[in-house]
Amino acid sequence: MLVELKSSFAAYTEWVGKAFLLMADNYEAMGEIFQARGTLKSLVENFPLQNVKAQATERLKRIEDAELKKQTQLDQDTTDNQKN
């Protein structure tokens, strides 16, 4: 439905941007981080409205920070297991 919004309401640029932000949120909630990241990167690189780009940038940073934190914890756990 959100993808259809792009073609049905192309004249409402902000609505389309919000739809893609929501789609990225949905991907993230479903654990589809690759898809969420790709959607947000596309908005940052290609979307015409600065406010949508800014929101996409913030969300992308939040996802990347969470992924880095997760990886750091995994690395620490692996190191701790090797010591034992």
Side-chain angles (χ1 to χ4, degrees):
M1 187 66 154
L2 293 171
V3 173
E4 186 179 311
L5 184 79
K6 180 181 178 187
S7 58
S8 299
F9 297 98
Y12 300 96
T13 307
E14 184 142 8
W15 289 13
V16 172
K18 297 288 185 179
F20 278 97
L21 289 169
L22 182 58
M23 190 170 15
D25 289 345
N26 288 342
Y27 284 137
E28 184 180 5
M30 293 185 309
E32 299 287 338
I33 302 304
F34 180 80
Q35 290 289 72
R37 189 181 293 123
T39 301
L40 293 169
K41 283 183 179 180
S42 181
L43 286 171
V44 170
E45 294 171 1
N46 302 306
F47 205 74
L49 298 179
Q50 189 57 40
N51 65 325
V52 173
K53 284 184 172 191
Q55 290 177 52
T57 300
E58 290 172 14
R59 292 174 188 193
L60 186 57
K61 173 128 176 57
R62 186 190 73 231
I63 288 172
E64 290 173 348
D65 288 348
E67 289 293 300
L68 181 60
K69 184 177 180 180
K70 183 178 175 181
Q71 185 60 48
T72 301
Q73 184 61 47
L74 286 173
D75 291 347
Q76 183 62 44
D77 291 348
T78 300
T79 301
D80 290 346
N81 286 336
Q82 288 174 349
K83 290 179 181 178
N84 294 331

